[in-house]
Amino acid sequence: MEKQLLNRRTAFFLIATASFALLSGCSAQASANVTAFDRPQAETDKLPAGPAATIPSSSRLLFEEESARYFASESPVDGEVCLTIHVSDEAWVQSCSTSLPITLFVDGGREAQLNAESDFPSSDEWDQVADNLALKK
């Protein structure tokens, strides 16, 4: 009976450890797959006043068009990466996740998807406009 209990405890410990390792790997992977984080932050990379749920020094402008600006940034939550679409100080949206892709839409902008470079959606529906960003056609 004691041996069975010990085996269950060992199995539980191994499963918990493996789960933690897998989750940690996913969280580190999201921001590691955004190539814009490899360059220093420029003045144009800084998020406007509205979106503030990220680490200020981590934001990078990925793409800008007449109607909207698209940013990637890191969240204060360990391993999360964020996509922000900024149309104006009153119209913006942000979503953060430990895994990619992140798909997001705001009125006045196009639907956007933050992806790992090697994992872009179908080119029939999306335009790749930056290393990690695709916009809906």
Side-chain angles (χ1 to χ4, degrees):
M1 182 73 160
E2 283 183 40
K3 187 174 183 179
Q4 215 173 21
L5 183 59
L6 182 60
N7 286 340
R8 286 184 185 163
R9 285 183 183 163
T10 302
F12 175 77
F13 175 77
L14 291 174
I15 290 169
T17 303
S19 297
F20 177 76
L22 286 173
L23 290 172
S24 297
C26 289
S27 64
Q29 186 178 5
S31 63
N33 284 325
V34 178
T35 57
F37 295 145
D38 295 340
R39 63 176 167 79
Q41 185 185 46
E43 193 62 35
T44 56
D45 290 323
K46 293 182 180 177
L47 285 169
T54 62
I55 300 169
S57 62
S58 73
S59 63
R60 301 294 187 272
L61 178 64
L62 299 176
F63 185 73
E64 184 173 15
E65 56 188 353
E66 189 174 309
S67 61
R69 294 185 293 164
Y70 303 84
F71 295 88
S73 56
E74 294 176 315
S75 165
V77 177
D78 190 36
E80 282 191 343
V81 64
C82 304
L83 172 62
T84 303
I85 304 173
H86 183 266
V87 175
S88 69
D89 288 343
E90 294 77 36
W92 60 272
V93 66
Q94 183 176 75
S95 182
C96 302
S97 178
T98 56
S99 61
L100 297 175
I102 298 172
T103 304
L104 203 51
F105 174 78
V106 65
D107 284 340
R110 291 197 277 168
E111 186 173 354
Q113 195 172 89
L114 183 65
N115 293 286
E117 264 190 296
S118 61
D119 191 27
F120 271 94
S122 165
S123 61
D124 294 341
E125 296 179 31
W126 297 86
D127 287 323
Q128 181 180 350
V129 295
D131 284 347
N132 296 97
L133 185 69
L135 297 179
K136 193 86 165 201
K137 289 183 180 180

